[in-house]
Every structure is written in structure tokens, then in C-alpha cells.
Amino acid sequence: MQPFTRLEARACPLGLANVDTDQLIPARFMSRPRTAGYGTFLLHDLRFGPDGAPVPGFVLDDPRRAGARILVARRNFGTGSSREAAVYALVDYGIACVIAPSFGDIFASNAVKNGLLPATVTEDDAESLLAAIEAEPETPVCVDLTAQTIAAGDRAIAFAIDPVRRLQLLNGWDDIDLTLRHAAEIAAFARTRRTEAPWIVPGHGG
Amino acid sequence: MTGARTLFDKLWDAHVILTREDGESLLWVDRHFVHEGSHHAFRTLDQRAATVAEPALTFGVADHYVPTRGRPVIADPEIAGMVARLSDNAARHGFRLFGLDDPSQGIVHVVGPEQGLTLPGLLIVCGDSHTSTHGAFGAYAFGIGASEVAHVLMTQTLWQRKPKRMRITVDGHLGAHVGAKDLALHVIAAIGADGARGHAVEYQGAAIRALSMEGRLTLCNMSIEAGARCAMVAPDETTFAYLRGRPFAPAGALFDRAVAAWRGLAGDPDAVFDRDIRLDAAAVAPTVTWGTSPEEALPVTATAPSPEAGDPARAATVAAALDYMGLTPGMRLDAIAVDRVFIGSCTNGRLDDLRAAAAVLKGRRAVVPGLVAPGSLAVKRAAEAEGLDRIFIEAGLTWADPGCSMCVGMNGDIVPAGERCASTTNRNFRGRQGPGSRTHLMSPAMVAAAAVTGRLTDVRDLTEPDREA
């Protein structure tokens, strides 16, 4: 996984609360292998009409926001299903940071495992950031994970992130390699667990 | 000892292998369910040339994409490939699969409990957010993403930070024709779609104790729609009676030993919660969603909200939801005409749910088309044994095979664009049931009532027309 330290890029305002995982990627695309990329599925049914034609004026297709790598939204971003494909769609599109007052728990966990920063800001800061990037679409926003700050024009905003997740992003750590170092403790725990609660292993059945 | 502990504290403590200095704990996983949508995780395994660490604790279920009609043929080659890939992975890694050809196939959150794979005290995960369902047995159960599925497959563990603890106490008794689904929607509307975010929820109170296992499963299932990390009900005699004799549950002396241990799965009386919410069951009405988030729910007797009436920061969201749903502010919810109905899903696809819908439909005709997809083949057989299939078919609805079906639309069971569906499912997100679909969530009895009248309807108007409003 690529480490995340600092990002300076244009930002897209998505001024909705509860942007759910079905919006981030509709279920019908998830059977596809990721090799071809999931970026074109991002926010697909908000971005394209039923006939497949782009919805005029949709923020991702605003030429003033070309190359945007940051998304700003209202509360409870990524609510809904556990589909990691929602994160794949964001990452494959080029988004590296989502800024919102709150995130769905599973979404935030999936995001960090794919190098995407979920930056939590206050409701007021989200509103002011939305207003700022609406007004000045071409002005880049700077997200600094080391300092936990967001700079947009002359505004400087602090953001919150779980300290462990911050370190994972900064270092690009992979969980599985870390876990496998504890193989002996895991094996010992498994033995005890099976002895104390033998019913955890179903012994029979159809 | 660490002082008075909640049920969740006890479940957590029983699964901690180690805790790092930074506060992250490595947890042991007792039960891992995978489905055909878990293909990304199996690909990660292949890339690392890794194997499944604990195949005896891993169970596969084909549910998300499977057809509900015309089996065993799978017309869509992409879906056929996914179902075949799950079978290949089960055979290769040596775990038990409830595949399309298995007599116990069904939705993972229906199959787990009814097979006795879901037990009190277990830590249960699955690459599906509605894994919270299994907490109904006093298990610690939560949904995970594909990276975590791969991690569990390879290590049978997960890194987690301990969530906060929230208690939702529901006093009193639910009224006639008001059930667990109404209670769930009532709770979500009260605390919001992120009201329980970061929390492990424990339900307590007389109204919870009175719920059947099916009702508790519905309530814990919907708790993810309030953002909960997991939800649970402490096990009791209802739980033990449900589990006795289930195919994969412990039997004989081991069952008795397990029950003795499970009786300890209750919070200490003076345990402290980070948040405490108290509700009166008598205040819960038959509830429906009007918008595009499960928090946008109201009693069916209410009217659609006005964007201007509430919080200004929410006005745009409310206006967008009304626009998408084709509703006007102030219109009566029971005046909303529906185009079709759906009964099924991991939320409301169990025998109790089908009985509740059939009780309303018996001797009546649906005026709109509808699909009934039982939660499992076991549910389907049990329903047919008591003639429920005849009631649905005679009412004009389609009786199908089990799967996630029209809840998520992955298998092609979709609500056409612009159409409105009264649905027993769990999410009314835009396009959830198909591009352009409009979903109103409600209980099985309420969906049946909507089928009969062709509009959102207070089921009590059909079942007890003389009651005082």
C-alpha cells in the first residue's frame, strides 16, 4: 500500500448527507473483476442518467474540477453496506481523501486499508469548506496527514482520524504481515478457546 | 477482574488475543461466513498463495447473486461464474458450502441461525454489513470489508479498537400488529442513520424479552442502519429453546454445558454504558420510510415532511429525497400508491415474517404484483407445510426460491425505474432495488396491507377496522 503523507489537489463538493455505498457504487457493477478499474462506476447513477448519458453539471464532470483527488461531503459518508468496492471506485477514480463530519464505520475501515484518507471535520468546518470550494473550484486544497490539517485558500482546518489509522496510512502498513508475526499467540489462543468452548467447532450436521 | 462489565465487555474480553500499546486488539474469530460476493478476498489469498487458516470455522453460502426462479439454471454467465467460483474455493480450501444445490441454501443471515451455526458468545464476521443480525443470540457479530475477509481467511483474527457501549431499553409492550421492524425503524428515526456509529448496541427491556428469536434477528439486523458496529440481545430461555436440536448446534451433554456457559452472558447489574436510550414500546406505530435513508421513517398515519420545516442543514437532503421519491411535502403517507411489493431478505425472510404477511393476505387479493422470496429453503419448506405458499399465490403474488433477491437487485430481481415498491427489506437508498427504483421500508404485515390496497396502508385498518384511531 502507498503511504499517504500530504496531498494537494482540487476538491469536489458533494453537499449531501448519508452518501451511501449504493450511491458510491451500484451493486450491479460489483461482480466484475477489478483489473479493468472501478473508477467509471463511482457515483454512477448520480453521474449518468438511465440512458447512460452524463447528467449535465454533475460535479465530477465539471471541467474546473478536472483531476480532483479530494471529495467533501456532509455527515455519515459511506453509510450502508460493507462493500469495499465503494472504496475501490473512489480510489480507482483518483480520490485519495474524503472530508466529512462523519463516516460509516465499515467504510472508514475499508478506506484506510486501501490508502484512502477519511478525514473527519466538524459540521461547521464541513459547511465552510463546501462553501469555499463551491466558490473557488480551481483553488487546490491541501491535506496534511502529519499535521492533521486541511488548508483551503486562507482557511486552515484541523481534522480528526483514529491515531492507529493515521499511522497505517502514513506508513502504508499491511495488516496481514503484522498479524502473521503473532502466529504463536494466535495458535495458543485457538487451543484454549477450543478447550473452554468446544461447541465453537460444529461437530456434525447436514 | 475489571469491575462491572456489560454483555459486550464480556464478549470482547473473551476474544482478545493481545492488545497493542496503541489500543488495537487482535480478536479471535469463532465463525466466518463467506458468500459469492467475497471473490475479491479469495483473489487476495491466491495472490499470496495462502490457505484458509480455519476451514472448520468457515462456512460458505450462495445468496447475494443467486436466481430465485428457474433453478438450477443460472442464465447470467457472470453470476454462474461467481457461484461456481465460490464452490471451487470451498472445495479447494475445504470449508462447508451451502451452495445453490444444497437443501439448506438461503440467505447467510437466515441460514446461520436456523442451522445452529450462530451461537451465543461467538465472535461472528461476514463480508456483509447485516452480519449484526447474529447478535440476536448474544453473539458479537459484525460486517467487514474484503480486506478484512482476506485477513480472517488467512489468520482467523481481526484487528479492532473496542467500540463504545450503548444501551437501548424498550419498556412496555408493542401494540397489536406492531413488530420488531416497526420498532427498528422507530429507533433509527429517533437516533439517526449514524446515531449508533462507533457503538456496540445492547437491547434490553420488557419489549425485547417478549420478542421471538425472529423478532430479535430483525431488530439486530436493522441496527446497522443506525450505524451500529454491532447489536445484541442477551441470551435467555427463548434463545436456548430456539437452538436445541438445530443441525450444527451442540447436542446432548455438550448442549447442556454450553447453556450453562451462555447463562453467564448477561451484563453485570451495575455495568455502565457510554450512552443510554430509553423508549416506550407503546409509542411505536406501524412505521414506513418516506425518503432515501432508513432514518427517514414515520408512522404510516403521518404526512411527508417539508424541507423548510426542519433543520436548515438538512433541507437540501430532505428536498432531494422527496424529489427522488416523487412525493410532495405534507401529503398523507397512506395516500402513496405502490406499483409492487417484495417480501423477503435477511431482515424479514423468516417463517414468522411470512406468517405475519400471510395472515393479512389470507382470503384477500393483491392489486399490485409482488414477489415473495423466503429467506432459505428450510423456511420455504416450512411455509409450504403450513400452506402459506397457497395464500401468497392465491393472493396473486409470486412464490420464489431464497436469496437476497430484490433487496439488493444483484440477481436481476429489480424494481423497474420510476416504480415504487413496498418492501420488507432494510435499505431505501436511491436505486437500491434497481436504477431509479423507489423503496418504502416496512414490516411484512404492512407490505401485505399495501399489496391489498395498492397504497401504503395502516395494517390495523384491515385487521381491526373498528379500532379507535
Side-chain angles (χ1 to χ4, degrees), chain B residues 169-398:
Chain B
T169 307
V170 188
D171 300 312
H173 300 284
L174 293 168
H177 303 289
V178 178
K181 183 65 164 290
D182 301 293
L183 175 58
L185 290 171
H186 181 89
V187 168
I188 299 161
I191 68 175
D194 54 356
R197 189 171 41 80
H199 287 76
V201 171
E202 182 181 346
Y203 291 100
Q204 293 185 3
I208 306 301
R209 286 287 143 228
L211 287 176
S212 65
M213 279 320 298
E214 283 87 343
R216 296 176 190 183
L217 287 159
T218 300
L219 186 61
C220 290
N221 171 282
M222 288 296 288
S223 300
I224 181 67
E225 308 310 330
R229 195 72 188 96
C230 62
M232 59 195 62
V233 176
D236 59 12
E237 295 307 321
T238 303
T239 320
F240 309 143
Y242 178 97
L243 284 170
R244 190 182 292 277
R246 298 272 162 189
F248 288 85
L254 189 60
F255 185 79
D256 296 335
R257 196 180 143 196
V259 168
W262 295 339
R263 286 189 198 284
L265 293 173
D268 298 329
D270 46 353
V272 176
F273 289 81
D274 299 287
R275 271 186 79 190
D276 240 321
I277 288 170
R278 209 167 191 116
L279 299 167
D280 179 8
V284 181
T287 302
V288 298
T289 61
W290 57 266
T292 56
S293 162
E295 70 183 12
E296 292 168 339
L298 285 167
V300 67
T301 49
T303 57
S306 161
E308 291 80 38
D311 176 2
R314 270 188 51 76
T317 301
V318 171
L322 288 170
D323 178 61
Y324 181 81
M325 293 299 290
L327 305 179
T328 49
M331 76 179 289
R332 288 177 61 109
L333 296 181
D334 62 7
I336 296 171
V338 299
D339 300 298
R340 61 181 62 237
V341 301
F342 176 68
I343 297 170
S345 84
C346 61
T347 308
N348 281 130
R350 300 181 183 83
L351 189 58
D352 259 15
D353 301 315
L354 300 185
R355 283 176 180 154
V360 176
L361 285 165
K362 189 170 187 179
R364 294 189 169 103
R365 288 282 302 174
V367 299
V368 293
L371 182 63
V372 185
S376 69
L377 285 170
V379 169
K380 188 180 188 203
R381 285 189 297 273
E384 288 174 349
E386 48 188 83
L388 303 186
D389 58 322
R390 297 312 312 167
I391 295 173
F392 291 121
I393 292 165
E394 281 161 20
L397 303 181
T398 301

Side-chain angles (χ1 to χ4, degrees), chain A residues 15-23 26-35 38 44-46 49-50 74-85 88 101-107 109-110 112-114 120 123 127 162-165 167-168 173-191 193-206, chain B residues 14-18 20 22-24 26 28 30-31 39-40 43-44 48 54 56-57 59 65 78 82 85 96 102 115 117 119-123 126-129 143-148 150-151 154-155 157 159 161 192-194 196-199 224-225 227-229 246-251 254 257-258 261-262 292-293 295-296 313-314 316-317 320 408 410 427 429-432 435:
Chain A
L16 293 171
N18 297 324
V19 175
D20 60 71
T21 47
D22 280 77
Q23 305 318 301
R28 63 185 183 278
F29 299 121
M30 288 164 29
S31 58
R32 311 208 180 162
R34 192 167 167 206
T35 39
Y38 271 31
H44 186 279
D45 292 349
L46 295 173
R74 294 203 163 99
R75 74 172 176 92
N76 206 22
F77 186 91
T79 183
S81 89
S82 60
R83 61 184 71 167
E84 201 157 307
Y88 302 159
S102 61
F103 295 89
D105 282 332
I106 308 176
F107 173 85
S109 167
N110 290 341
V112 171
K113 291 183 194 322
N114 290 274
T120 304
E123 298 262 359
E127 292 304 318
D162 176 279
V164 173
R165 289 180 173 169
L167 272 184
Q168 279 174 332
W173 280 339
D174 181 291
D175 277 343
I176 291 170
D177 294 334
L178 289 177
T179 307
L180 290 175
R181 291 184 207 160
H182 298 292
E185 290 135 294
I186 296 169
F189 189 96
R191 277 193 300 276
R193 182 81 181 134
R194 279 182 161 90
T195 307
E196 290 178 354
W199 51 86
I200 70 160
V201 185
H204 59 288
Chain B
H15 292 89
V16 173
I17 300 167
L18 59 97
R20 288 197 312 233
D22 61 19
E24 291 269 303
L26 187 64
W28 171 257
D30 295 310
R31 194 72 80 239
H39 59 103
H40 291 290
R43 194 163 304 122
T44 305
R48 289 175 169 257
E54 293 277 1
L57 305 181
F59 292 84
Y65 288 85
E78 208 166 60
M82 292 179 81
R85 231 168 13 251
R96 173 74 159 86
D102 192 292
Q115 291 299 316
L117 287 166
L119 300 172
L122 300 194
L123 192 156
C126 173
D128 186 277
S129 58
I144 55 177
S147 296
E148 291 182 317
H151 190 279
M154 282 186 255
T155 68
T157 66
W159 291 100
R161 179 174 290 266
D194 54 356
R197 189 171 41 80
H199 287 76
I224 181 67
E225 308 310 330
R229 195 72 188 96
R246 298 272 162 189
F248 288 85
L254 189 60
R257 196 180 143 196
W262 295 339
T292 56
S293 162
E295 70 183 12
E296 292 168 339
R314 270 188 51 76
T317 301
V408 68
M410 287 169 162
R427 291 193 172 128
F429 299 161
R430 289 165 175 258
R432 169 76 177 183

Side-chain angles (χ1 to χ4, degrees), chain B residues 8-158:
Chain B
F8 178 71
D9 293 328
K10 293 182 182 183
L11 294 175
W12 174 270
D13 292 348
H15 292 89
V16 173
I17 300 167
L18 59 97
T19 300
R20 288 197 312 233
E21 277 184 14
D22 61 19
E24 291 269 303
S25 294
L26 187 64
L27 302 184
W28 171 257
V29 173
D30 295 310
R31 194 72 80 239
H32 186 197
F33 293 112
V34 295
H35 55 82
E36 72 274 38
S38 307
H39 59 103
H40 291 290
F42 282 106
R43 194 163 304 122
T44 305
L45 242 67
D46 291 344
Q47 284 162 357
R48 289 175 169 257
T51 54
V52 174
E54 293 277 1
L57 305 181
T58 308
F59 292 84
V61 182
D63 59 359
H64 276 66
Y65 288 85
V66 299
T68 53
R69 281 151 293 172
R71 290 186 188 179
V73 177
I74 305 179
D76 184 324
E78 208 166 60
I79 292 174
M82 292 179 81
V83 172
R85 231 168 13 251
L86 179 64
S87 299
D88 290 347
N89 279 317
R92 202 148 57 88
H93 293 289
F95 60 83
R96 173 74 159 86
L97 172 68
F98 297 90
L100 198 58
D101 54 355
D102 192 292
S104 300
Q105 182 268 341
I107 305 171
V108 58
H109 309 310
V110 178
V111 171
E114 76 186 7
Q115 291 299 316
L117 287 166
T118 302
L119 300 172
L122 300 194
L123 192 156
I124 302 172
V125 296
C126 173
D128 186 277
S129 58
H130 290 106
T131 308
S132 60
T133 309
H134 306 260
F137 288 81
Y140 174 20
F142 55 101
I144 55 177
S147 296
E148 291 182 317
V149 170
H151 190 279
V152 177
L153 285 172
M154 282 186 255
T155 68
Q156 203 62 22
T157 66
L158 265 184

